[in-house]
Amino acid sequence: MMNGGFSMNDQLTIAGRTFRSRLMVGTGKYETFAQMRDALDASGAEVVTVAVRRVNLDQREESLLSFIDLDRYFLLPNTAGCQTAEEAVRTARLARAAGLSNWVKLEVIPADGTLLPDPIATIEAAQILVAEGFVVLPYTTDDHTVAKRLLDAGCATIMPFGSAIGTGMGLTSPERLRRIMDVVGSRVPVVVDAGIGAPSDAALAMELGADAVLVNTALAKAERPVAMAKAMGLAVEAGRIAYNAGRMGKSAVASPSSPVAGLLTK
């Protein structure tokens, strides 16, 4: 159905699976599991990421997974906390063996205090996991060359940061993100991951041409996480519609909003 040029069937597709929402959300840093559950509900997200190391894989007692409706949300295990390619591969294998998913959000972040991904180790791990049949969604830098290498490795998305994890600094280098979209965006979705601090950041990412955004800290550490989750979902939707609508061109010269030709003058 079309409404003013906007298609209601404008869905996100990753590795053949479609999602209505283009907002993905994380599950860390909330004060309580109940608060997390309510924020997930308000966000409208369908993809929910969970750190494998936070999940009790032996017994699913009252824990994180007890507050996530697996019939409603698509669970995306991530390798948060892994510092080497070997650790990340082992963690992904463990998650799949435990029945979580053969999808994995790949994160390889060295212990150097920056929380920036290790591009070489990420590419190495991605190659191994793709060869083993995983659907790999890699968290990476905003370098288009690294993005191309991950694409060539067979990754299902490219997930560059907007800025460093947890900073809330927004998109510090929009032109670098746009370059990644130009290089790989026609082949796999580009998901802006990390650094988004406010709904305006998410809307900007979508207006630039991102296919989705992933948000965690901006929701969990807001004064009212549930309200912020609702706002973030609306911002992502608005940004996507604006991108499809096509914004006006910028001009250094002012132009009147109303036509002046043909006006009667004294």
Side-chain angles (χ1 to χ4, degrees):
M1 183 175 76
M2 299 295 290
N3 182 8
F6 169 60
S7 172
M8 300 302 291
N9 294 318
D10 179 38
Q11 297 180 325
L12 171 67
T13 301
I14 302 174
R17 186 180 184 113
T18 59
F19 304 96
R20 294 182 303 278
S21 174
R22 291 175 180 270
L23 173 63
M24 303 179 181
V25 293
T27 52
K29 302 183 179 181
Y30 288 94
E31 292 185 0
T32 66
F33 288 148
Q35 185 186 70
M36 175 204 72
R37 177 197 60 210
D38 294 344
L40 297 186
D41 179 59
S43 73
E46 294 170 88
V47 178
V48 176
T49 69
V50 175
V52 176
R53 294 187 175 191
R54 294 182 62 215
V55 177
N56 186 335
L57 297 178
D58 295 321
Q59 52 182 351
R60 298 187 180 183
E61 52 192 19
E62 188 79 346
S63 65
L64 174 65
L65 291 183
S66 302
F67 290 82
I68 300 176
D69 184 351
L70 299 183
D71 291 326
R72 176 179 179 182
Y73 300 108
F74 182 80
L75 197 66
L76 178 61
N78 71 57
T79 62
C82 294
Q83 299 176 11
T84 67
E86 293 76 14
E87 279 187 283
V89 169
R90 184 167 61 249
T91 300
R93 289 169 177 165
L94 180 62
R96 182 166 68 176
L100 289 183
S101 181
N102 72 321
W103 286 46
V104 61
K105 180 178 178 250
L106 176 61
E107 298 182 26
V108 185
I109 301 175
D112 59 4
T114 66
L115 293 182
L116 299 178
D118 181 333
I120 296 175
T122 301
I123 293 169
E124 178 185 348
Q127 291 170 333
I128 295 170
L129 292 172
V130 169
E132 294 184 5
F134 283 88
V135 177
V136 180
L137 291 72
Y139 169 59
T140 183
T141 66
D142 58 0
D143 186 308
H144 70 276
T145 302
V146 175
K148 180 64 165 57
R149 294 291 182 87
L150 289 167
L151 178 67
D152 292 342
C155 291
T157 66
I158 303 298
M159 304 180 74
F161 57 64
S163 53
I165 291 176
T167 63
M169 293 296 292
L171 311 186
T172 54
S173 299
E175 70 283 354
R176 293 174 68 91
L177 293 175
R178 195 190 300 274
R179 179 60 177 161
I180 290 176
M181 295 167 197
D182 290 341
V183 171
V184 307
S186 63
R187 296 176 58 184
V188 299
V190 174
V191 182
V192 175
D193 177 14
I196 287 176
S200 55
D201 300 329
L204 176 58
M206 300 304 295
E207 289 172 25
L208 287 174
D211 296 281
V213 300
L214 195 156
V215 184
N216 186 177
T217 306
L219 307 186
K221 292 304 179 182
E223 291 184 15
R224 290 179 290 279
V226 177
M228 184 60 76
K230 176 67 173 179
M232 201 69 73
L234 293 172
V236 169
E237 183 178 353
R240 178 63 180 182
I241 295 173
Y243 172 74
N244 285 333
R247 65 156 289 154
M248 64 172 286
K250 295 182 179 181
S251 173
V253 179
S255 175
S257 299
S258 300
V260 295
L263 291 180
L264 296 176
T265 59
K266 293 183 179 179

